[in-house]
mmCIF file of all heavy atoms in Angstrom:
data_model
loop_
_atom_site.group_PDB
_atom_site.id
_atom_site.type_symbol
_atom_site.label_atom_id
_atom_site.label_comp_id
_atom_site.label_asym_id
_atom_site.label_seq_id
_atom_site.Cartn_x
_atom_site.Cartn_y
_atom_site.Cartn_z
ATOM 1 N N SER K 187 120.558 122.737 102.874
ATOM 2 C CA SER K 187 121.892 122.264 102.852
ATOM 3 C C SER K 187 122.849 123.187 102.108
ATOM 4 O O SER K 187 124.057 123.152 102.284
ATOM 5 C CB SER K 187 121.986 120.883 102.179
ATOM 6 O OG SER K 187 121.753 120.997 100.796
ATOM 7 N N HIS K 188 122.292 124.039 101.243
ATOM 8 C CA HIS K 188 123.051 125.017 100.427
ATOM 9 C C HIS K 188 124.142 124.343 99.621
ATOM 10 O O HIS K 188 125.204 124.853 99.451
ATOM 11 C CB HIS K 188 123.630 126.104 101.299
ATOM 12 C CG HIS K 188 122.598 126.760 102.186
ATOM 13 N ND1 HIS K 188 121.647 127.664 101.730
ATOM 14 C CD2 HIS K 188 122.363 126.659 103.503
ATOM 15 C CE1 HIS K 188 120.855 128.058 102.700
ATOM 16 N NE2 HIS K 188 121.311 127.429 103.821
ATOM 17 N N GLN K 189 123.875 123.101 99.212
ATOM 18 C CA GLN K 189 124.946 122.353 98.471
ATOM 19 C C GLN K 189 124.935 122.591 96.994
ATOM 20 O O GLN K 189 125.821 122.036 96.267
ATOM 21 C CB GLN K 189 124.821 120.864 98.775
ATOM 22 C CG GLN K 189 125.291 120.505 100.192
ATOM 23 C CD GLN K 189 125.255 119.000 100.468
ATOM 24 O OE1 GLN K 189 124.486 118.295 99.820
ATOM 25 N NE2 GLN K 189 125.976 118.568 101.487
ATOM 26 N N LEU K 190 123.980 123.352 96.455
ATOM 27 C CA LEU K 190 123.953 123.603 94.984
ATOM 28 C C LEU K 190 123.939 125.137 94.785
ATOM 29 O O LEU K 190 123.277 125.824 95.492
ATOM 30 C CB LEU K 190 122.798 122.916 94.324
ATOM 31 C CG LEU K 190 122.775 121.405 94.235
ATOM 32 C CD1 LEU K 190 121.480 120.944 93.560
ATOM 33 C CD2 LEU K 190 124.008 120.930 93.450
ATOM 34 N N THR K 191 124.547 125.557 93.684
ATOM 35 C CA THR K 191 124.489 126.945 93.309
ATOM 36 C C THR K 191 124.583 127.001 91.762
ATOM 37 O O THR K 191 124.893 125.985 91.169
ATOM 38 C CB THR K 191 125.602 127.765 93.997
ATOM 39 O OG1 THR K 191 125.413 129.149 93.671
ATOM 40 C CG2 THR K 191 126.983 127.263 93.510
ATOM 41 N N ILE K 192 124.321 128.122 91.184
ATOM 42 C CA ILE K 192 124.424 128.247 89.745
ATOM 43 C C ILE K 192 125.816 128.851 89.445
ATOM 44 O O ILE K 192 126.175 129.919 90.093
ATOM 45 C CB ILE K 192 123.340 129.141 89.129
ATOM 46 C CG1 ILE K 192 121.962 128.510 89.406
ATOM 47 C CG2 ILE K 192 123.573 129.338 87.635
ATOM 48 C CD1 ILE K 192 121.581 127.360 88.580
ATOM 49 N N ILE K 193 126.557 128.261 88.514
ATOM 50 C CA ILE K 193 127.834 128.826 88.130
ATOM 51 C C ILE K 193 127.859 129.220 86.659
ATOM 52 O O ILE K 193 126.999 128.892 85.957
ATOM 53 C CB ILE K 193 129.040 127.804 88.458
ATOM 54 C CG1 ILE K 193 128.873 126.574 87.589
ATOM 55 C CG2 ILE K 193 129.106 127.435 89.889
ATOM 56 C CD1 ILE K 193 130.172 125.716 87.540
ATOM 57 N N GLU K 194 128.908 129.934 86.271
ATOM 58 C CA GLU K 194 129.068 130.481 84.955
ATOM 59 C C GLU K 194 127.986 131.555 84.645
ATOM 60 O O GLU K 194 127.178 131.838 85.479
ATOM 61 C CB GLU K 194 129.053 129.368 83.816
ATOM 62 C CG GLU K 194 130.090 128.341 84.019
ATOM 63 C CD GLU K 194 131.519 128.788 83.837
ATOM 64 O OE1 GLU K 194 131.723 129.951 83.449
ATOM 65 O OE2 GLU K 194 132.499 128.004 84.068
ATOM 66 N N ARG K 195 127.972 132.041 83.402
ATOM 67 C CA ARG K 195 127.089 133.165 83.068
ATOM 68 C C ARG K 195 126.378 132.907 81.748
ATOM 69 O O ARG K 195 126.830 132.153 80.885
ATOM 70 C CB ARG K 195 127.866 134.474 83.029
ATOM 71 C CG ARG K 195 128.590 134.750 84.237
ATOM 72 C CD ARG K 195 129.267 136.096 84.228
ATOM 73 N NE ARG K 195 128.300 137.171 84.268
ATOM 74 C CZ ARG K 195 128.651 138.492 84.280
ATOM 75 N NH1 ARG K 195 129.905 138.788 84.258
ATOM 76 N NH2 ARG K 195 127.742 139.405 84.312
ATOM 77 N N GLY K 196 125.223 133.602 81.569
ATOM 78 C CA GLY K 196 124.551 133.537 80.282
ATOM 79 C C GLY K 196 124.202 132.156 79.882
ATOM 80 O O GLY K 196 123.768 131.294 80.713
ATOM 81 N N VAL K 197 124.357 131.800 78.576
ATOM 82 C CA VAL K 197 123.962 130.488 78.118
ATOM 83 C C VAL K 197 124.881 129.368 78.663
ATOM 84 O O VAL K 197 124.616 128.225 78.483
ATOM 85 C CB VAL K 197 124.041 130.414 76.566
ATOM 86 C CG1 VAL K 197 122.975 131.226 75.932
ATOM 87 C CG2 VAL K 197 125.430 130.746 76.051
ATOM 88 N N ASP K 198 125.989 129.768 79.298
ATOM 89 C CA ASP K 198 126.899 128.744 79.820
ATOM 90 C C ASP K 198 126.575 128.344 81.264
ATOM 91 O O ASP K 198 127.294 127.496 81.811
ATOM 92 C CB ASP K 198 128.333 129.284 79.796
ATOM 93 C CG ASP K 198 128.845 129.454 78.342
ATOM 94 O OD1 ASP K 198 128.427 128.671 77.550
ATOM 95 O OD2 ASP K 198 129.575 130.378 78.078
ATOM 96 N N ASN K 199 125.593 128.911 81.844
ATOM 97 C CA ASN K 199 125.409 128.604 83.346
ATOM 98 C C ASN K 199 124.680 127.292 83.546
ATOM 99 O O ASN K 199 123.905 126.797 82.725
ATOM 100 C CB ASN K 199 124.801 129.764 84.095
ATOM 101 C CG ASN K 199 123.460 130.165 83.609
ATOM 102 O OD1 ASN K 199 122.878 129.441 82.818
ATOM 103 N ND2 ASN K 199 122.943 131.211 84.141
ATOM 104 N N TYR K 200 124.969 126.706 84.727
ATOM 105 C CA TYR K 200 124.358 125.403 85.113
ATOM 106 C C TYR K 200 124.552 125.241 86.577
ATOM 107 O O TYR K 200 125.448 125.890 87.172
ATOM 108 C CB TYR K 200 124.947 124.209 84.275
ATOM 109 C CG TYR K 200 126.430 124.074 84.390
ATOM 110 C CD1 TYR K 200 127.011 123.231 85.357
ATOM 111 C CD2 TYR K 200 127.293 124.771 83.504
ATOM 112 C CE1 TYR K 200 128.375 123.112 85.452
ATOM 113 C CE2 TYR K 200 128.678 124.615 83.610
ATOM 114 C CZ TYR K 200 129.184 123.789 84.594
ATOM 115 O OH TYR K 200 130.574 123.635 84.676
ATOM 116 N N PRO K 201 123.820 124.337 87.244
ATOM 117 C CA PRO K 201 124.001 124.205 88.683
ATOM 118 C C PRO K 201 125.238 123.376 89.046
ATOM 119 O O PRO K 201 125.613 122.507 88.262
ATOM 120 C CB PRO K 201 122.671 123.475 89.148
ATOM 121 C CG PRO K 201 122.192 122.820 87.921
ATOM 122 C CD PRO K 201 122.722 123.539 86.731
ATOM 123 N N MET K 202 125.812 123.661 90.146
ATOM 124 C CA MET K 202 127.040 122.966 90.568
ATOM 125 C C MET K 202 127.213 123.036 92.051
ATOM 126 O O MET K 202 126.556 123.947 92.711
ATOM 127 C CB MET K 202 128.211 123.534 89.816
ATOM 128 C CG MET K 202 129.574 122.940 90.050
ATOM 129 S SD MET K 202 129.587 121.142 90.032
ATOM 130 C CE MET K 202 129.134 120.801 88.344
ATOM 131 N N THR K 203 127.979 122.149 92.618
ATOM 132 C CA THR K 203 128.292 122.295 94.039
ATOM 133 C C THR K 203 129.403 123.328 94.242
ATOM 134 O O THR K 203 130.247 123.450 93.327
ATOM 135 C CB THR K 203 128.820 120.898 94.606
ATOM 136 O OG1 THR K 203 129.777 120.428 93.727
ATOM 137 C CG2 THR K 203 127.618 119.861 94.669
ATOM 138 N N PRO K 204 129.436 124.059 95.333
ATOM 139 C CA PRO K 204 130.540 124.940 95.610
ATOM 140 C C PRO K 204 131.820 124.128 95.680
ATOM 141 O O PRO K 204 131.744 122.911 95.951
ATOM 142 C CB PRO K 204 130.194 125.570 96.950
ATOM 143 C CG PRO K 204 128.711 125.368 97.060
ATOM 144 C CD PRO K 204 128.404 124.106 96.380
ATOM 145 N N PRO K 205 133.007 124.790 95.477
ATOM 146 C CA PRO K 205 134.255 124.016 95.531
ATOM 147 C C PRO K 205 134.365 123.210 96.806
ATOM 148 O O PRO K 205 134.120 123.703 97.946
ATOM 149 C CB PRO K 205 135.321 125.107 95.447
ATOM 150 C CG PRO K 205 134.631 126.266 94.835
ATOM 151 C CD PRO K 205 133.195 126.179 95.223
ATOM 152 N N GLY K 206 134.766 121.906 96.658
ATOM 153 C CA GLY K 206 135.034 121.051 97.825
ATOM 154 C C GLY K 206 133.760 120.465 98.441
ATOM 155 O O GLY K 206 133.844 119.781 99.430
ATOM 156 N N VAL K 207 132.596 120.805 97.877
ATOM 157 C CA VAL K 207 131.360 120.254 98.447
ATOM 158 C C VAL K 207 130.801 119.148 97.577
ATOM 159 O O VAL K 207 130.871 119.184 96.414
ATOM 160 C CB VAL K 207 130.262 121.406 98.519
ATOM 161 C CG1 VAL K 207 128.917 120.869 98.963
ATOM 162 C CG2 VAL K 207 130.706 122.482 99.481
ATOM 163 N N VAL K 208 130.285 118.094 98.281
ATOM 164 C CA VAL K 208 129.656 116.973 97.576
ATOM 165 C C VAL K 208 128.165 117.053 97.886
ATOM 166 O O VAL K 208 127.748 117.345 99.011
ATOM 167 C CB VAL K 208 130.248 115.619 98.089
ATOM 168 C CG1 VAL K 208 129.463 114.428 97.488
ATOM 169 C CG2 VAL K 208 131.712 115.536 97.843
ATOM 170 N N PHE K 209 127.356 116.854 96.855
ATOM 171 C CA PHE K 209 125.912 116.927 97.037
ATOM 172 C C PHE K 209 125.416 115.616 97.674
ATOM 173 O O PHE K 209 124.900 114.755 96.984
ATOM 174 C CB PHE K 209 125.220 117.181 95.672
ATOM 175 C CG PHE K 209 123.742 117.426 95.718
ATOM 176 C CD1 PHE K 209 123.193 118.158 96.789
ATOM 177 C CD2 PHE K 209 122.910 116.959 94.720
ATOM 178 C CE1 PHE K 209 121.820 118.380 96.866
ATOM 179 C CE2 PHE K 209 121.547 117.196 94.791
ATOM 180 C CZ PHE K 209 121.020 117.899 95.875
ATOM 181 N N ASP K 210 125.610 115.500 98.976
ATOM 182 C CA ASP K 210 125.329 114.238 99.645
ATOM 183 C C ASP K 210 124.323 114.412 100.752
ATOM 184 O O ASP K 210 124.264 113.593 101.682
ATOM 185 C CB ASP K 210 126.641 113.619 100.177
ATOM 186 C CG ASP K 210 127.294 114.562 101.175
ATOM 187 O OD1 ASP K 210 126.779 115.683 101.412
ATOM 188 O OD2 ASP K 210 128.338 114.164 101.705
ATOM 189 N N GLU K 211 123.544 115.454 100.746
ATOM 190 C CA GLU K 211 122.540 115.602 101.805
ATOM 191 C C GLU K 211 121.515 114.486 101.754
ATOM 192 O O GLU K 211 121.272 113.934 100.677
ATOM 193 C CB GLU K 211 121.908 116.979 101.684
ATOM 194 C CG GLU K 211 121.146 117.129 100.295
ATOM 195 C CD GLU K 211 120.005 118.076 100.440
ATOM 196 O OE1 GLU K 211 119.051 117.601 101.090
ATOM 197 O OE2 GLU K 211 119.960 119.228 99.871
ATOM 198 N N PRO K 212 120.810 114.199 102.878
ATOM 199 C CA PRO K 212 119.927 113.025 102.921
ATOM 200 C C PRO K 212 118.652 113.207 102.065
ATOM 201 O O PRO K 212 117.869 112.243 102.010
ATOM 202 C CB PRO K 212 119.574 112.880 104.414
ATOM 203 C CG PRO K 212 120.041 114.081 105.082
ATOM 204 C CD PRO K 212 121.035 114.784 104.224
ATOM 205 N N TYR K 213 118.448 114.372 101.490
ATOM 206 C CA TYR K 213 117.239 114.623 100.680
ATOM 207 C C TYR K 213 117.620 114.981 99.247
ATOM 208 O O TYR K 213 116.846 115.569 98.507
ATOM 209 C CB TYR K 213 116.385 115.671 101.264
ATOM 210 C CG TYR K 213 115.808 115.287 102.648
ATOM 211 C CD1 TYR K 213 116.498 115.514 103.796
ATOM 212 C CD2 TYR K 213 114.579 114.630 102.700
ATOM 213 C CE1 TYR K 213 115.998 115.069 105.048
ATOM 214 C CE2 TYR K 213 114.059 114.210 103.928
ATOM 215 C CZ TYR K 213 114.750 114.483 105.091
ATOM 216 O OH TYR K 213 114.274 114.030 106.293
ATOM 217 N N SER K 214 118.830 114.646 98.820
ATOM 218 C CA SER K 214 119.397 115.127 97.548
ATOM 219 C C SER K 214 118.543 114.725 96.362
ATOM 220 O O SER K 214 118.352 115.468 95.413
ATOM 221 C CB SER K 214 120.789 114.666 97.330
ATOM 222 O OG SER K 214 120.855 113.272 97.120
ATOM 223 N N MET K 215 117.857 113.579 96.415
ATOM 224 C CA MET K 215 117.235 113.027 95.197
ATOM 225 C C MET K 215 115.902 113.746 94.850
ATOM 226 O O MET K 215 115.325 113.550 93.818
ATOM 227 C CB MET K 215 116.966 111.531 95.353
ATOM 228 C CG MET K 215 118.296 110.775 95.387
ATOM 229 S SD MET K 215 118.163 109.022 95.682
ATOM 230 C CE MET K 215 117.743 108.493 94.022
ATOM 231 N N ASN K 216 115.462 114.617 95.777
ATOM 232 C CA ASN K 216 114.262 115.428 95.479
ATOM 233 C C ASN K 216 114.478 116.328 94.320
ATOM 234 O O ASN K 216 113.507 116.661 93.600
ATOM 235 C CB ASN K 216 113.816 116.167 96.760
ATOM 236 C CG ASN K 216 113.189 115.353 97.799
ATOM 237 O OD1 ASN K 216 112.105 114.824 97.636
ATOM 238 N ND2 ASN K 216 113.972 115.084 98.851
ATOM 239 N N VAL K 217 115.677 116.714 94.077
ATOM 240 C CA VAL K 217 115.942 117.675 92.924
ATOM 241 C C VAL K 217 115.668 116.921 91.625
ATOM 242 O O VAL K 217 115.365 117.588 90.639
ATOM 243 C CB VAL K 217 117.330 118.293 92.974
ATOM 244 C CG1 VAL K 217 117.549 119.075 94.241
ATOM 245 C CG2 VAL K 217 118.439 117.211 92.845
ATOM 246 N N ILE K 218 115.781 115.579 91.627
ATOM 247 C CA ILE K 218 115.541 114.813 90.412
ATOM 248 C C ILE K 218 114.071 115.003 90.062
ATOM 249 O O ILE K 218 113.689 115.157 88.852
ATOM 250 C CB ILE K 218 115.935 113.350 90.609
ATOM 251 C CG1 ILE K 218 117.398 113.222 90.958
ATOM 252 C CG2 ILE K 218 115.534 112.498 89.351
ATOM 253 C CD1 ILE K 218 117.770 111.848 91.553
ATOM 254 N N ASP K 219 113.210 114.859 91.050
ATOM 255 C CA ASP K 219 111.767 114.910 90.725
ATOM 256 C C ASP K 219 111.327 116.322 90.306
ATOM 257 O O ASP K 219 110.463 116.450 89.448
ATOM 258 C CB ASP K 219 110.952 114.573 92.019
ATOM 259 C CG ASP K 219 111.456 113.338 92.683
ATOM 260 O OD1 ASP K 219 111.655 112.395 91.975
ATOM 261 O OD2 ASP K 219 111.627 113.386 93.937
ATOM 262 N N ILE K 220 111.924 117.379 90.938
ATOM 263 C CA ILE K 220 111.439 118.681 90.630
ATOM 264 C C ILE K 220 112.125 119.327 89.422
ATOM 265 O O ILE K 220 111.631 120.359 88.921
ATOM 266 C CB ILE K 220 111.559 119.634 91.892
ATOM 267 C CG1 ILE K 220 113.042 119.779 92.299
ATOM 268 C CG2 ILE K 220 110.673 119.157 92.975
ATOM 269 C CD1 ILE K 220 113.200 120.767 93.479
ATOM 270 N N CYS K 221 113.200 118.679 88.927
ATOM 271 C CA CYS K 221 113.868 119.265 87.736
ATOM 272 C C CYS K 221 112.858 119.061 86.577
ATOM 273 O O CYS K 221 112.458 117.946 86.310
ATOM 274 C CB CYS K 221 115.166 118.457 87.474
ATOM 275 S SG CYS K 221 116.005 119.007 85.958
ATOM 276 N N PRO K 222 112.501 120.157 85.909
ATOM 277 C CA PRO K 222 111.465 119.992 84.850
ATOM 278 C C PRO K 222 111.990 119.482 83.497
ATOM 279 O O PRO K 222 111.258 119.446 82.521
ATOM 280 C CB PRO K 222 110.981 121.484 84.696
ATOM 281 C CG PRO K 222 112.177 122.316 85.056
ATOM 282 C CD PRO K 222 112.947 121.545 86.094
ATOM 283 N N VAL K 223 113.291 119.138 83.494
ATOM 284 C CA VAL K 223 113.851 118.501 82.306
ATOM 285 C C VAL K 223 114.692 117.283 82.817
ATOM 286 O O VAL K 223 114.587 116.947 83.987
ATOM 287 C CB VAL K 223 114.800 119.535 81.586
ATOM 288 C CG1 VAL K 223 113.984 120.646 81.050
ATOM 289 C CG2 VAL K 223 115.908 120.023 82.463
ATOM 290 N N GLY K 224 115.415 116.671 81.980
ATOM 291 C CA GLY K 224 116.187 115.444 82.400
ATOM 292 C C GLY K 224 117.622 115.827 82.831
ATOM 293 O O GLY K 224 118.473 114.963 82.702
ATOM 294 N N ALA K 225 117.849 117.047 83.311
ATOM 295 C CA ALA K 225 119.249 117.394 83.717
ATOM 296 C C ALA K 225 119.758 116.667 84.892
ATOM 297 O O ALA K 225 120.897 116.416 84.953
ATOM 298 C CB ALA K 225 119.322 118.943 83.892
#
Side-chain angles (χ1 to χ4, degrees):
S187 71
H188 308 286
Q189 288 183 337
L190 290 179
T191 186
I192 299 286
I193 63 165
E194 303 290 356
R195 303 183 69 177
V197 293
D198 291 327
N199 62 7
Y200 58 92
M202 181 45 63
T203 50
V207 172
V208 175
F209 186 36
D210 59 358
E211 58 149 292
Y213 293 89
S214 67
M215 297 176 81
N216 287 287
V217 299
I218 299 164
D219 313 312
I220 59 175
C221 179
V223 296

